[in-house]
Amino acid sequence: MSRRRVAVMCAALLAVALAVRAVPAFGGYFYWDDLILIGRAGTQDLLSWGYLFDDHDGHVMPAGFLLGGLITRAAPLVWFWPALSLVLLQLLAWLALLRTLHVILGWRPVLLVPWVFALFTPLGLPGFAWWAAGLNSLPMLAALAWVCGDAILLVRTRNRRYAVSGAVVFLGGLLFFEKAAVIPFVAFAVVALLYHVAGEHHWLATVWQRGIRLWTSTLVLLAGWIVVYLVVVDQQRWSWDLAMTWNLLRRSFTHGIVPGLVGGPWEWQRWAPASPWAVPPVTVMALGWLALATVVAVSLIRKQRLTPVWLAALGYAAVCQVPIYLMRSSRFTALELAQTLRYQPDLVFVLALLCAVGFCAPNRPTPALDATRVRAVAVSCACALFVASCLYSSWTFLASWRDNPTKAYLQNAQAALADARAASNAPMLDQEVDPLILQRVAWPENLASHMFALIHDRPQFASSTTRLRMLDMTGRIVDAKVTWVRTIRPGPTPTCGYLAQPDSPVTMPLDGPLLPSDWTVELNYLANTEGSITLTLSDGPETTVPVLPGLNRVYVRLPGAGDAITVRARTAALSVCLASGPVGYLAPA
């Protein structure tokens, strides 16, 4: 097969794979961390330290936050642009990988084997379809592939520009994803193994000396980034539950990596609001182990000096996951975490690069494995079956990924907010969105005021309102009421209840204690003039509430805990009589 034909086939396969990836990208929608990013982008300065260097569940990704924030600000809650960004970032990563595969193999036909694996395996699909995950992992993959290529060229040519470009690209990868810390080590291993299989006697020393500028510069950058990471990230999230970490690691091999080697898992399950996880049938698991054993055996029979390459592949498959599981695992962790396959995209690229390195090893005298038409047909059929299996797994993943209530909720909410603004000038009481969309652990980004901060056609969100409305579980706005979790006891002053004046705050006892939460108070009052008052639970912050003259009712969002509410009049000459009322949560009227 000519070099030109190999290049054309690589381009054609890239186009097909990009079209396949575009289907889950444009067929998906915002999910969980995407909404956290949207809320933060709508309420914070995109260039502030607090926004860029946020401890996002153990991740430090300032460049990812900046890119996501710019896209969000340009088109709030419009999925087309995040989907397009995923496709373009995936294209960038694949092109960087193709460049490095070409640096290793040239336009030889064997290049198609790691290229097909990297393009179609479902191991990289879950980390691609989820926008927040793709924003950090895809640029990191591009950086990993590019730095490996620069490292090989630097050691070959000793041209300093490869050391400079490699260091710059590595820094870019770190800014998107802290896991890019593995890049210098992967690059060194790939180059060293390449020289080992080529028969270099002092391969480690040769690679270190010839690439010293790249290795030292990247290690200096890494040391600085580690300091930043330790400052930003809460180290108490780390767990040392080694038993659970081992169980997760083992499950990732049996239910994720090995089935993925033959295009599995074929089947996925999902319980909203969790992301899909792989549930490979026994058939695909057995095929995966059989294929792995066959490839290992044939490669060791055919090629020389491959043992370190296989050990590197196994070592990276384990090491790239252990830090994540140490941060995520505890005795309460579900083993399905290891089956989500979110932590394997970089493994795909590393395996592809190591496969290319293995093809550079000299052949053993095995005539049965020499190039023949039969061998070409067998390899082509195996690749075709692999691609078909991958496409089936991608299709079943899409069916599971689309089972997402977020799209209908956000579209209903945007339409309902526009209608609510047209119907009334009253603000809406700020509230949490449905827990299937975003739960309290994501506070304050689970508040409607954060999620819809960049939407202009909507009512204002406030801590108090005279008209009580709420978003229901479908995203539609309905009239609401306050549930009677607790009641303000009747006041002691006849015909007034509780009297609050500027120089005499009043405490209104409840009929029982409240646990820490964001409560809603129905406040019935009579005021002599327009002004403002503040409400405070026994343990909680102050909330300022405007009041109008006459007999009125206002609904107040009051965070905190305790068994009493303290009211203070903030306007001179303001007197407010306060009556009994409910304290609880919002519910449809």
Side-chain angles (χ1 to χ4, degrees), residues 26-30 35 76-80 404-419 437 451-452 455 457 471-477:
F26 289 97
Y29 201 67
F30 299 109
L35 302 175
L77 296 179
V78 178
W79 176 246
F80 174 83
N404 180 6
T406 305
K407 185 174 184 178
Y409 183 91
L410 293 184
Q411 291 178 345
N412 289 341
Q414 290 181 76
L417 289 170
D419 292 341
I437 308 303
M451 191 170 296
F452 302 105
I455 301 300
D457 192 9
L471 291 163
D472 67 11
M473 63 184 301
T474 67
R476 294 180 173 84
I477 293 178

Side-chain angles (χ1 to χ4, degrees), residues 363-387:
N363 292 334
R364 298 181 190 274
T366 50
L369 295 176
D370 287 344
T372 61
R373 182 177 295 274
V374 173
R375 192 187 75 170
V377 171
V379 173
S380 299
C381 290
C383 288
L385 290 173
F386 172 77
V387 171

Side-chain angles (χ1 to χ4, degrees), residues 76 121 226 327:
T121 179
I226 288 174
M327 185 175 288

Side-chain angles (χ1 to χ4, degrees), residues 278-545:
V279 284
V282 175
T283 303
V284 73
M285 295 171 68
L287 285 174
W289 285 110
L290 178 61
L292 178 59
T294 301
V295 170
V296 171
V298 170
S299 65
L300 292 177
I301 292 171
R302 178 62 172 173
K303 295 287 186 177
Q304 303 176 39
R305 310 187 192 105
L306 274 195
T307 300
V309 178
W310 279 111
L311 292 177
L314 177 61
Y316 188 83
V319 171
C320 73
Q321 300 180 86
V322 167
I324 297 170
Y325 295 145
L326 285 176
M327 185 175 288
R328 297 286 191 270
S329 64
S330 72
R331 59 193 180 94
F332 302 107
T333 303
L335 290 177
E336 283 76 12
L337 173 67
Q339 298 167 229
T340 59
L341 308 188
R342 292 203 304 270
Y343 311 121
Q344 273 77 45
D346 52 312
L347 176 62
V348 172
F349 274 44
V350 171
L351 292 180
L353 292 170
L354 292 178
C355 178
V357 170
F359 281 127
C360 294
N363 292 334
R364 298 181 190 274
T366 50
L369 295 176
D370 287 344
T372 61
R373 182 177 295 274
V374 173
R375 192 187 75 170
V377 171
V379 173
S380 299
C381 290
C383 288
L385 290 173
F386 172 77
V387 171
S389 177
C390 292
L391 293 177
Y392 180 73
S393 294
S394 299
W395 175 256
T396 54
F397 174 83
L398 178 60
S400 180
W401 184 241
R402 279 178 168 169
D403 183 18
N404 180 6
T406 305
K407 185 174 184 178
Y409 183 91
L410 293 184
Q411 291 178 345
N412 289 341
Q414 290 181 76
L417 289 170
D419 292 341
R421 181 189 182 193
S424 173
N425 292 326
M428 279 193 65
L429 201 64
D430 200 6
Q431 58 202 261
E432 296 177 353
V433 299
D434 188 81
L436 287 180
I437 308 303
L438 203 58
Q439 295 180 354
R440 274 190 66 85
V441 294
W443 188 92
E445 311 313 332
N446 69 322
L447 297 176
S449 60
H450 284 237
M451 191 170 296
F452 302 105
L454 296 174
I455 301 300
H456 299 295
D457 192 9
R458 62 169 176 80
Q460 293 297 314
F461 290 104
S463 57
S464 63
T465 184
T466 56
R467 181 177 177 184
L468 192 59
R469 295 167 292 177
M470 66 175 290
L471 291 163
D472 67 11
M473 63 184 301
T474 67
R476 294 180 173 84
I477 293 178
V478 297
D479 291 330
K481 62 182 179 181
V482 181
T483 59
W484 292 74
V485 176
R486 291 288 183 259
T487 303
I488 300 172
R489 293 185 182 277
T493 305
T495 70
C496 182
Y498 300 94
L499 178 61
Q501 295 178 314
D503 56 351
S504 57
V506 65
T507 298
M508 304 186 299
L510 306 177
D511 62 353
L514 293 171
L515 294 173
S517 186
D518 288 319
W519 301 100
T520 301
V521 179
E522 180 184 302
L523 198 62
N524 301 288
Y525 69 91
L526 175 64
N528 65 335
T529 186
E530 184 176 352
S532 65
I533 59 176
T534 61
L535 271 64
T536 313
L537 274 167
S538 306
D539 182 13
E542 285 188 346
T543 299
T544 301
V545 181

